[in-house]
Amino acid sequence: MTSIPTIYLNGEFMPLAEARVPVMDRGFLFGDGVYEVIPVYSRRPFRLDEHLGRLQRSLDGIRLANPLRGDAWTALIAQIIAANEGEDQQIYLQVTRGADGKRNHAFPKEIQPTVFVMSEPLLPPPAAQRAQGIAAISAADNRWHRCDIKATSLLANCLLRQRAIDAGCAETLLLRDGFLTEGAASNIFVVKNDVILAPPKNHLMLPGVTYDVILELAARHGLPHQARDVLEEEVRTADELWLTSSTKEVLPIVRLDDKPVGGGRPGPLYAQMLAWYQDYKRAVMRSHVDA
């Protein structure tokens, strides 16, 4: 272990408890910023280029110049990994438009972005969740229309996720105009008649890196799959439902709105996909083999 402190803030490494951001920072006042979460396995960031590419698209979406070049991000993330304990970590990075001298909705002409990077432990989902499945509720997707931007203004997502927690569930599935978009903090897959269905990448959902992995594994192993608009009816009559994210990996949803999904237990395609995912994790995520 090195003596480098835990987090990075605006050019300095320091303990998290010492980090301070001005109250006039636009991220604090307006949620005017973007973020990214990068899983680290065996001290190696997974698909770093893809995550940094998504960060760049989010920055472009809010018209904020990237404060660091790709190689600088790579070096910084490597330093944060080295400064923290644990073979598996999740790197959180956030860029806001910065602090101005006054509160004004319009962008300031000259301002320095705020850059924050930290590490937290990356823990696999409990074995019981994989074996028994999780419960979810559904709700109308009342978020804004640029969900493809990984923005820090997540109040709508927080409220939707809290509805699931209040109901004793793990996630809220979001429906807009009769179609599935995603989960409050995840992507959602539907299995119907042995075909995997995934909502398409568009402005109404945030395509995750794990979303890509699942579709790649399906293609590699010859499992029928479609990325297309998924009807609410298909969600409610699904044979299987899966939740995916970098931190949750892939989990089976066995109850939706207090009704069983399929047989009310993890289905056979989930068991197969989980096995493929775990093999991929060992062979690729924990190695230096290109994904």
Side-chain angles (χ1 to χ4, degrees), residues 185-189 210-211 214 242-246 249-251:
S186 63
N187 289 124
I188 303 297
F189 289 81
T210 306
Y211 168 104
I214 296 301
W242 306 343
L243 173 155
T244 68
S245 74
S246 292
E249 299 181 345
V250 53
L251 289 174

Side-chain angles (χ1 to χ4, degrees), residues 253-267:
I253 299 171
V254 298
R255 294 193 69 82
L256 178 63
D257 294 332
D258 208 26
K259 296 180 180 179
V261 176
R265 59 185 181 274

Side-chain angles (χ1 to χ4, degrees), residues 190-197 218 222-226 237-240 242 267-270 276:
V190 174
V191 176
K192 187 75 174 172
N193 298 325
D194 294 329
V195 178
I196 298 174
L197 306 177
L223 196 61
H225 59 283
Q226 300 174 11
T237 60
D239 300 321
E240 301 182 31
W242 306 343
L269 261 64
Y270 170 75
W276 291 334

Side-chain angles (χ1 to χ4, degrees), residues 23-26 28-31 99-106 108:
V23 295
M24 295 302 288
D25 190 283
R26 290 179 61 88
F28 175 70
L29 293 176
F30 300 115
D100 191 25
K102 59 183 178 180
R103 183 182 181 279
N104 189 332
H105 284 67

